[in-house]
């Protein structure tokens, strides 16, 4: 499972669902993007995750009963390599409060299924619009429980 969008999009509600998914799919990991840690020396770092955010995610995972080492951090890569690494994941997880935009395009370019929760505001409907336009409406959910169940089914 991966969610390669900005850390600011990960709120308590979506994180709780992601942790429920990890509890239900024991072999799964959650791969997050840490833009503060460039992988190649030539990448330009942007502070988005870094130490404090990583520590907070680790604490939150533990509080949800998930072993923190099941959260894996990816650093920056050139765009072409970033898109290629999507092939190593099983499902791209969209956030709830503010869904992914460009990140969904990256996942779809790599052939990675994306699961989104359609909300009522523009920022929560972008993923659903992209998936519908791509003929992938089966990956659009309408409740957090439906989202969780679909991801569990895809990841199992």
């Amino acid at each position: 499972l991966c969610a390669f969008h900005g850390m600011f999009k990960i709120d308590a509600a979506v994180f709780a669902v992601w942790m429920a998914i990890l509890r239900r799919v024991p072999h799964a990991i959650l791969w997050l993007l840490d833009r503060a840690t460039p992988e190649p020396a030539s990448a330009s770092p942007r502070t988005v995750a870094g130490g404090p955010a990583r520590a907070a995610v680790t604490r939150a995972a533990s509080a949800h009963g998930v072993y923190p080492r099941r959260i894996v951090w990816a650093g920056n890569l050139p765009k072409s390599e970033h898109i290629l690494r999507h092939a190593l994941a099983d499902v791209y997880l969209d956030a709830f409060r503010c869904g992914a935009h460009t990140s969904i395009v990256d996942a779809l370019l790599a052939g990675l299924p994306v699961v989104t929760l359609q909300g009522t505001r523009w920022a929560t409907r972008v993923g659903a619009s992209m998936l519908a336009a791509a003929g992938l409406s089966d990956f659009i959910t309408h409740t957090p429980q439906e989202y969780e169940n679909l991801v569990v089914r895809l990841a199992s």
Side-chain angles (χ1 to χ4, degrees):
L1 309 172
C2 70
F4 293 144
H5 40 63
M7 291 292 292
F8 69 93
K9 295 182 179 188
I10 303 172
D11 63 5
V14 75
F15 193 78
V17 171
W18 291 352
M19 295 301 99
I21 292 165
L22 289 179
R23 287 191 305 273
R24 290 177 62 190
V25 185
H27 69 277
I29 58 123
L30 176 59
W31 200 6
L32 299 175
L33 187 59
D34 180 357
R35 290 190 176 111
T37 308
E39 288 182 358
S42 62
S44 77
R46 293 184 294 166
T47 303
V48 176
R54 277 184 156 186
V57 167
T58 298
R59 284 190 306 276
S62 291
H64 282 278
V66 173
Y67 184 55
R69 291 207 174 196
R70 293 180 67 198
I71 311 294
V72 177
W73 297 92
N76 279 336
L77 286 176
K79 186 69 163 182
S80 61
E81 292 176 43
H82 172 67
I83 291 172
L84 288 174
R85 75 173 147 199
H86 285 75
L88 301 173
D90 295 317
V91 181
Y92 186 93
L93 305 176
D94 197 8
F96 298 170
R97 176 176 64 89
C98 179
H101 298 95
T102 308
S103 299
I104 287 180
V105 174
D106 293 345
L108 294 175
L109 283 172
L112 182 62
V114 175
V115 175
T116 191
L117 174 68
Q118 182 173 322
T120 57
R121 295 177 300 109
W122 176 84
T124 63
R125 299 178 67 84
V126 173
S129 294
M130 287 186 198
L131 292 176
L136 299 169
S137 295
D138 290 346
F139 297 96
I140 301 168
T141 63
H142 300 91
T143 68
Q145 189 62 56
E146 185 182 344
Y147 177 103
E148 178 183 329
N149 291 339
L150 178 56
V151 173
V152 167
R153 184 169 54 83
L154 293 170
S156 296

